[in-house]
Amino acid sequence: MMWRALSADWLKIRGKGLWFLVFLGPAGLLAMQGLNFGLRYDYLKNIHQADLWGGLLDNLSNFVPVALYLGGTLICSMMANVEHQTSSWKQLLALPVSRAAVFLAKLLLCLLLLAASCLLLSAGTVALGWMLGFQSQPVPYTDILRIGFLGYAAALPVILLQLWLSLAARNQTFPIACGITLSLLSLFSYSLSEWFPLNWPGLAWSSSKPWLFSISGIFLGLLVLLPGAWHFARKDVA
């Protein structure tokens, strides 16, 4: 049943701007770093001459958590708004598909869209490094994949919370405001404990044990998922 619901949701997002958002996040991050290195090329290349790719990734990593939080917020909100704006919840939930399947289908589609965005970020990082003339050093493909996907796993608690809020609220003002607030707080939370969840995407790159924070994000995400699915299954969202 979930796959039928997922197929229906896949068709619904056509022309809704979600794919544009998937491309916009990584394109914005890469354009910012392209401008950063373009304007200070000699200076940055001299600083990072021992590890040019590492310097690029370190500069990029400062903005990946915010992009994940904002991207997750907007994708979840736009996904939920497909049903809210057309008032189609009653018709959707009248179909012979369980509410749990509907919830999981929307969750899976949101996660797939964000995963596509992370993959585009990794591919674009390789392309940017080549454009900047880093071919003299080997491409650290593992680190390039890690910068997006480990942070993605660590950001799952916030992403799942945003999906819960977006599906539960017909007016998307509160979910979006909540997501923007959490995104901004993540910029100033490094002085707090490393076990503060907003820090986990950044620590999934910079920590000596990055996998610990990614696994913690997955575990906490599951804890957020359970009450979210339970609430959706019982709430009147028609």
Side-chain angles (χ1 to χ4, degrees):
M1 288 192 299
M2 187 187 73
W3 298 112
R4 291 169 59 189
L6 179 61
S7 298
D9 283 336
W10 187 269
L11 294 174
K12 289 178 184 178
I13 66 172
R14 290 183 177 179
K16 301 297 182 181
L18 279 163
W19 283 110
F20 172 74
L21 190 61
V22 167
F23 283 91
L24 180 63
L29 289 179
L30 293 169
M32 184 165 53
Q33 288 309 312
L35 183 62
N36 179 34
F37 274 80
L39 293 176
R40 304 189 298 161
Y41 184 77
D42 292 334
Y43 172 73
L44 290 174
K45 193 170 183 179
N46 183 58
I47 290 178
H48 302 297
Q49 58 183 335
D51 185 5
L52 295 173
W53 289 99
L56 174 60
L57 293 175
D58 282 339
N59 278 274
L60 191 62
S61 69
N62 295 326
F63 304 97
V64 169
V66 178
L68 284 169
Y69 290 141
L70 281 176
T73 294
L74 294 176
I75 285 175
C76 290
S77 178
M78 293 174 70
M79 177 76 64
N81 235 15
V82 172
E83 311 294 348
H84 290 312
Q85 287 184 336
T86 58
S87 300
S88 60
W89 282 116
K90 183 177 293 185
Q91 295 88 337
L92 175 62
L93 298 177
L95 297 174
V97 179
S98 69
R99 286 194 173 204
V102 172
F103 183 88
L104 290 176
K106 293 189 181 298
L107 169 63
L108 183 57
L109 187 52
C110 287
L111 294 181
L112 287 173
L113 290 172
L114 282 169
S117 193
C118 290
L119 188 60
L120 287 171
L121 176 63
S122 296
T125 301
V126 174
L128 177 60
W130 285 342
M131 291 171 62
L132 292 172
F134 295 172
Q135 297 94 328
S136 60
Q137 297 183 359
V139 181
Y141 291 107
T142 301
D143 287 340
I144 288 172
L145 288 172
R146 184 165 67 89
I147 196 173
F149 284 97
L150 287 191
Y152 175 32
L156 283 177
V158 172
I159 294 169
L160 292 171
L161 175 63
Q162 287 302 129
L163 180 65
W164 179 5
L165 294 176
S166 298
L167 292 177
R170 184 178 183 84
N171 187 329
Q172 293 298 293
T173 301
F174 176 72
I176 291 177
C178 182
I180 292 174
T181 300
L182 292 174
S183 301
L184 294 176
L185 285 176
S186 70
L187 292 171
F188 307 101
S189 62
Y190 287 103
S191 59
L192 303 177
S193 168
E194 65 180 12
W195 290 110
F196 188 58
L198 290 180
N199 289 334
W200 292 354
L203 290 171
W205 168 253
S206 62
S207 170
S208 59
K209 298 179 179 179
W211 294 97
L212 180 61
F213 297 99
S214 296
I215 293 171
S216 298
I218 294 171
F219 180 73
L220 183 57
L222 290 174
L223 293 181
V224 175
L225 171 63
L226 293 176
W230 180 87
H231 180 256
F232 179 79
R234 285 157 178 78
K235 181 178 173 61
D236 182 10
V237 291

